[in-house]
């Protein structure tokens, strides 16, 4: 597949800087696979925030595939961290769900929406904090709470982060939310 992509882009006549502009579908495909070299060759200033017909950007595609190093490289390349799929899913939701602490921190530093709402299993209003809590990612939960995540937001079915953590038997996350979320007078 990769050979075909580079052949179709014209490797013999490729650009002098080793980049292959104009093939946005290949960019998303390679990001889904986590191929850092190909993504960085395909990305340009003109397409770094390209969204395919499903609303995926290279950043979202890399996060969907749980490709931690590629997500980091794309953040450092300056992609827009707040672009979302039509359903509201952002890279921050996905990285919180994956438990990738350093990428969550980098996304927050670049201004990612900490309380963005997205669907999950046909229910609405899941936040990055809820995704991290329901999957037992204590360090990500701590970071999100320290960064101002709203601990009281609830999903459409009435569950907030602490209830999801309890439902999934993540006792350490429940304790963390009590101490850092509800125990903190400045928590939202």
């Amino acid at each position: 597949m990769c050979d075909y992509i580079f052949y179709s882009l014209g490797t013999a006549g490729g650009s002098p800087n080793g980049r292959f502009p104009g093939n946005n579908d290949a960019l998303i495909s390679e990001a889904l696979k986590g191929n850092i070299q190909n993504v960085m060759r395909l990305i340009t200033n003109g397409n770094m925030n390209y969204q395919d017909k499903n609303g995926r950007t290279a950043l979202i595609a890399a996060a969907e595939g749980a490709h931690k190093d590629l997500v980091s490289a794309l953040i450092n390349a300056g992609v827009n961290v707040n672009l979302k799929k039509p359903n509201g899913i952002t890279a921050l939701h996905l990285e919180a769900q994956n438990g990738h602490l350093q990428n969550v921190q980098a996304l927050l530093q670049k201004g990612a929406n900490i309380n963005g709402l997205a669907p999950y299993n046909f229910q609405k209003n899941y936040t990055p904090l809820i995704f991290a809590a329901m999957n037992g990612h204590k360090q990500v939960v701590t970071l999100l709470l320290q960064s101002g995540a709203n601990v009281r937001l609830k999903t459409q079915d009435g569950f907030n982060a602490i209830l999801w953590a309890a439902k999934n038997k993540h006792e350490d996350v429940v304790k963390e939310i009590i101490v850092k979320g509800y125990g903190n007078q400045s928590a939202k």
Side-chain angles (χ1 to χ4, degrees):
M1 173 74 176
C2 291
D3 293 335
Y4 172 75
I5 289 170
F6 290 120
Y7 178 76
S8 68
L9 289 169
T11 53
S15 66
N17 64 3
R19 295 179 185 260
F20 302 92
N23 198 333
N24 296 329
D25 291 333
L27 173 63
I28 302 304
S29 175
E30 291 300 302
L32 277 168
K33 295 178 204 171
N35 191 324
I36 294 176
Q37 285 184 325
N38 288 350
V39 168
M40 299 319 280
R41 284 183 186 134
L42 290 166
I43 202 163
T44 65
N45 285 334
N47 73 354
M48 70 175 17
N49 294 311
Y50 166 76
Q51 290 184 278
D52 70 6
K53 64 182 178 183
N54 298 313
R56 280 190 192 111
T57 63
L59 179 63
I60 291 171
E64 282 179 345
H67 303 299
K68 183 166 86 172
D69 293 336
L70 178 54
V71 169
S72 179
L74 289 166
I75 293 167
N76 290 331
V79 299
N80 182 337
V81 299
N82 280 311
L83 290 177
K84 55 188 172 185
K85 292 174 69 171
N87 64 7
I89 289 283
T90 66
L92 183 58
H93 288 100
L94 296 165
E95 288 300 277
Q97 184 176 26
N98 294 334
H100 296 160
L101 179 65
Q102 290 178 333
N103 287 342
V104 169
Q105 186 171 27
L107 287 163
L108 292 172
Q109 288 172 345
K110 296 288 184 174
N113 182 355
I114 198 167
N115 291 312
L117 303 176
Y120 179 75
N121 283 348
F122 305 105
Q123 298 291 321
K124 297 178 182 174
N125 300 335
Y126 284 76
T127 65
L129 177 62
I130 291 171
F131 278 126
M134 72 190 296
N135 288 288
H137 301 304
K138 181 182 173 191
Q139 290 180 315
V140 173
V141 166
T142 301
L143 174 63
L144 290 167
L145 290 171
Q146 290 172 343
S147 299
N150 187 335
V151 72
R152 291 177 174 82
L153 290 176
K154 296 179 182 178
T155 59
Q156 183 179 7
D157 51 9
F159 282 65
N160 59 13
I162 197 168
L163 291 175
W164 271 112
K167 181 177 192 261
N168 292 333
K169 299 179 177 36
H170 300 301
E171 293 178 29
D172 57 335
V173 173
V174 170
K175 290 175 186 174
E176 189 71 3
I177 293 171
I178 290 170
V179 172
K180 297 274 184 352
Y182 291 104
N184 182 354
Q185 294 298 332
S186 65
K188 295 179 179 166

